[in-house]
């Protein structure tokens, strides 16, 4: 899962705060135009950050990059900068024509700041993706005092729904919650992934990476896409497997 989407606080810090600081410090327009510029730039940061996450995750690895991938990274930085500042400039020209004359002189510094933010995004995503693949195998054992459960209760409107753990296909991290998926649908429950991992039967569930826990009885197959392994579940969902956890999954499946 994109770490920028894990919580509203993270999203605000990553997009809104730098965008507003950028617009207020760089712009020379009236204050109303600067605030509007900040909103536009925050939206562009959010959109480009989401797109970059998927590109970095699947096309440009966190380490051991080839010469081609370095060239791709450079080209991607240029495209991202032109896209973000270009859309921002076009929007200001169309929506705030009276502010455009004051906006134009600041375009070079805007290009430079956007490049710096691209570098920060790359470093942040690289650190996040690297952390996914270096979790130690020895950390997978359950605490001796863990209370293994056979059902999970969730709120469904004004009702309490009881979900047998055998019906769970997978769990996905969603900020301070876990999203529990079954064949019937999915429900949010306020608990951490670590707690979920500790209470679910270890002979049925395995954490494939920091954002997902899957029920191995619902695994249809495992596929490889380049250097990335994906587990395909009974509902068609494709879940990423980190390198370290792939070995654990193989042991649980008896491969």
């Amino acid at each position: 899962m994109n770490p920028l989407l894990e919580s509203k606080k993270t999203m605000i810090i990553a997009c809104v705060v730098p965008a507003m600081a950028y617009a207020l410090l760089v712009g020379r327009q009236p204050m109303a135009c600067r605030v509007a510029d900040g909103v536009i730039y925050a939206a562009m940061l959010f959109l480009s950050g989401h797109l970059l996450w998927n590109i970095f995750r699947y096309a440009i690895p966190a380490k051991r990059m080839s010469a081609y991938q370095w060239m791709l990274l450079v080209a991607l930085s240029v495209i991202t900068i032109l896209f973000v500042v270009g859309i921002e400039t076009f929007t200001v020209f169309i929506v705030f024509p009276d502010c455009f004359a004051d906006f134009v002189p600041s375009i070079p510094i805007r290009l430079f700041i956007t490049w710096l933010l691209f570098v920060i995004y790359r470093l942040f995503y690289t650190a996040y993706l690297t952390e996914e693949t270096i979790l130690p195998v020895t950390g997978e054992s359950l605490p001796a005092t863990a209370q293994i459960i056979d059902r999970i209760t969730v709120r469904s409107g004004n009702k309490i729904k009881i979900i047998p753990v055998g019906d769970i296909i997978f769990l996905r991290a969603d900020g301070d919650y876990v999203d529990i998926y079954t064949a019937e649908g999915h429900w949010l429950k306020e608990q951490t992934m670590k707690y979920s991992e500790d209470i679910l039967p270890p002979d049925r569930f395995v954490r494939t990476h920091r954002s997902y826990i899957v029920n191995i009885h619902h695994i249809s197959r495992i596929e490889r896409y380049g250097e990335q392994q994906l587990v395909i579940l009974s509902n068609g969902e494709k879940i990423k497997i980190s390198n370290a956890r792939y070995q654990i999954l193989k042991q649980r499946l008896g491969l």
Side-chain angles (χ1 to χ4, degrees):
M1 180 181 179
N2 187 335
L4 293 183
L5 303 180
E6 287 189 350
S7 70
K8 293 180 180 179
K9 181 179 179 180
T10 303
M11 185 181 68
I12 291 172
I13 293 174
C15 299
V16 177
V17 173
M20 286 301 175
Y22 159 92
L24 294 175
L25 295 176
V26 175
R28 299 180 180 179
Q29 313 97 303
M31 184 58 65
C33 291
R34 295 192 197 184
V35 172
D37 181 28
V39 173
I40 296 168
Y41 197 75
M44 297 308 302
L45 284 183
F46 179 80
L47 176 60
S48 60
H50 187 62
L51 294 174
L52 289 174
W53 162 254
N54 290 287
I55 295 172
F56 290 156
R57 188 180 186 186
Y58 296 109
I60 306 179
K63 54 185 178 180
R64 296 192 300 273
M65 290 174 55
S66 65
Y68 167 78
Q69 287 165 329
W70 275 108
M71 292 173 60
L72 179 61
L73 183 62
V74 172
L76 182 63
S77 69
V78 174
I79 293 171
T80 301
I81 294 166
L82 294 179
F83 173 72
V84 172
V85 179
I87 295 296
E88 178 192 18
T89 303
F90 179 76
T91 304
V92 171
F93 176 74
I94 297 297
V95 181
F96 306 102
D98 295 339
C99 301
F100 189 69
D102 293 327
F103 178 90
V104 171
S106 64
I107 289 179
I109 188 64
R110 292 174 187 273
L111 292 170
F112 177 72
I113 291 175
T114 304
W115 174 79
L116 287 179
L117 289 173
F118 175 89
V119 173
I120 292 171
Y121 272 21
R122 171 60 181 175
L123 294 174
F124 174 70
Y125 284 150
T126 297
Y128 187 91
L129 291 169
T130 300
E131 182 182 350
E132 283 188 348
T133 61
I134 61 175
L135 293 172
V137 174
T138 54
E140 293 294 322
S141 58
L142 290 170
T145 58
Q147 299 295 316
I148 304 302
I149 62 172
D150 59 6
R151 66 196 65 189
I152 289 180
T153 59
V154 295
R155 287 194 173 274
S156 180
N158 295 325
K159 301 178 181 179
I160 300 295
K161 181 175 179 60
I162 299 176
I163 305 174
V165 295
D167 292 347
I168 298 173
I169 300 175
F170 72 96
L171 298 88
R172 178 176 64 85
D174 190 358
D176 297 328
Y177 294 79
V178 293
D179 208 355
I180 303 169
Y181 285 76
T182 72
E184 297 180 19
H186 62 99
W187 297 266
L188 283 173
K189 186 173 180 65
E190 189 176 7
Q191 65 186 41
T192 66
M193 288 292 283
K194 181 63 172 67
Y195 179 76
S196 301
E197 185 181 14
D198 288 348
I199 64 174
L200 289 169
D203 60 332
R204 293 188 186 184
F205 292 88
V206 62
R207 191 168 183 177
T208 58
H209 75 81
R210 64 185 296 162
S211 296
Y212 290 93
I213 298 173
V214 303
N215 186 337
I216 62 175
H217 293 175
H218 284 278
I219 294 177
S220 297
R221 63 188 183 276
I222 298 174
E223 295 182 355
R224 173 181 287 275
Y225 291 88
E227 296 183 357
Q228 180 62 61
Q229 300 279 359
L230 295 178
V231 60
I232 314 301
L233 300 175
S234 58
N235 65 345
E237 192 79 24
K238 297 181 179 180
I239 305 295
K240 179 181 177 182
I241 313 171
S242 71
N243 293 338
R245 296 184 183 275
Y246 178 58
Q247 300 303 320
I248 300 170
L249 179 61
K250 287 176 63 178
Q251 293 174 8
R252 299 283 177 86
L253 294 174
L255 300 177

